[in-house]
Amino acid sequence: MKKTLFSLLFFACLASVFAAEMPLISNVYGRDYVLLNGKWNYIIDPLENGYYDYRLQPFKDNGFFENKKPATPSDLVEYDLDTAPIMDIPSDWNTKDARLFFYEGTVWFKRDFTLQKQAGKRYAIYFGAANYDAKVWVNGKKVGEHIGGYTPFNFDVTDVVKDGANFVVVKVDNKRQRDGVPTVNMDWWNYGGITRDVMLVALPETTIEDYFIQLPKGKFDVISGWVKINKSAANQQVTVEIPELKIKQNLKTDETGRAAFEIKAKPILWSPENPKLYDVNIISENEKISDKIGFRTIETVGKEIRLNGKKVFLRGISIHEEAPFRQGRACTKEDARTLLNWAKELGCNYVRLAHYPHNEFMVRSAEEMGFMVWSEIPVYWTISWGNEATYQNAENQLHDMIYRDKNRCAVVIWSIANETPHSDARDLFLGKLAKYARTQDNTRLISMAMEVASAKGNVNELNDNMNEYVDVASFNQYVGWYRGTNEDARNFVWNIPYNKPVIVSEFGGGALYGLHGDKTERWTEEYQEELYIRNLEMLDKIDGLAGLSPWILVDFYSPRRALTGIQDYFNRKGLVSSSGNKKKAFFVLQKFYNDKK
Ligand code: GCU
């Protein structure tokens, strides 16, 4: 008897710990959800006093996550999330509270919500992102935690939510970590907080867990794909409908709960010139979710990138997830469209979303507006290459980036790194990551931003062991800014010894909008303009040049940029100022791209 009771208790505890684990909800905006955005209370907790006792042991209770109230007037409770200040979520805390502009540490957030539970439904709480280490409790019960500042996560809360009043508490800690991804040094602001939408999602017990629908590689007259339900159950009915193409595929799942299909079709192919998206319905016995999917193929042939079988030049620009005008973490559809409208004005058909997965509005807006996308995980600079946990973190972020956006036709390149220093450990780490990316998605191109930071005489050569793992040889270079002068660019030549398309994933220089002077005077608009003229002239001669994403569309906050009166903690390499003004170099790139059309 004793043994049975013990084993029952043991498995009950185990279940409670892991009950919250569940796959990422795909196409969350196509689900039955309520937004938990809006007014959240918050407490700034630099010593993590709400999580550890004075002996640095995590509280079992008494933590801020309980949102405890004094039971009697003499009770000691030294916090109250209900009367704490309010912050509009989603947002970064740095730009919402002047005390938090440079803050790196823990902030606690709390939101009340009501629920009328429906029979047969499971409930999940979904976060578009929280930077960097998030721990989540609902009604005082821990439901999960997540590491990584730019990828979504969700927890099953079915067993902890109740009818009527509920509350969710989130501990977000944005302290940089040496073994983190990214690590402790980066050239962007370490915005902390619940930085993207939060939702409570209702799912049927048997739900459509995931799907992928696209043209098979290299074919234009077939649509193929698969649908997976969350049960390993055979003979479950699932239907894929594309009404405009008069497609209705009635499928039965196999014993793993998965159903695949392939059907002749002649869709209008998605392209930047014609960003055609089709309504796609995925229907199971008790659920219907809809998506908008564009059909296109992307491949490389020798030194060409081919979209829908035709050679294409990627007229791009790099973009950080920095909110236009207001600064802070961009997180809305309006932010996305403002940034992408500037890219459209530039004549772009492609954007490099640096240096981490951007919010879903950015990717979906790029798809609607006609931009191909380079999407990247923040394996940036001096990562701890020998640390297994660091690798796992990078792989988790890569998995979640691909998982979320695999049906987004605009995404044509997955990037696994930026400017990483050569070493055997780095080659091992990135080689494994590149192989992993292909197991998750063999339909897109793999790349990474390598680095050419020196020359032998006038010859600049790309030489990176990682070339064997990538489809596109991409590199950053800063002739005229970090190396050499704008005049040097007239004589520099480039040798890319790989039979692959080449993308120059960064070049550029800083200018303070409105500062004018001689073109040899750094920080003037004229200097930046001359840098663009000389670099474009130089790079356009590269054999196999297939694309550019100059650094960068808009000035952005960075702790590395402290030159008073010029930078004031802004990286000024934007072609658009932080107040939305176009610098002279904007029009140099615009002309170059218009001539490329
Ligand atoms: C690097 C890096 C960017 C950085 C830029 C710069 O290439 O990839 O993240 O902002 O240079 O120095 O401005």
Side-chain angles (χ1 to χ4, degrees), residues 11 134 164-165 230 245 247 273 345 396 454 462 478 486 501 510 551 588:
F11 286 109
N230 66 330
L245 294 174
I247 288 175
E273 297 70 31
E345 267 191 77
N396 292 345
S454 65
L462 179 59
Y478 279 90
N486 291 334
W551 194 260
V588 172

Side-chain angles (χ1 to χ4, degrees), residues 187 355 380 418-419 476 478 482 506 551 561 571 573:
D187 191 21
H355 283 293
Y380 181 95
N418 180 74
E419 289 193 355
N476 301 346
Y478 279 90
Y482 293 121
E506 285 182 40
W551 194 260
R561 309 297 173 182
N571 182 314
K573 296 188 183 69

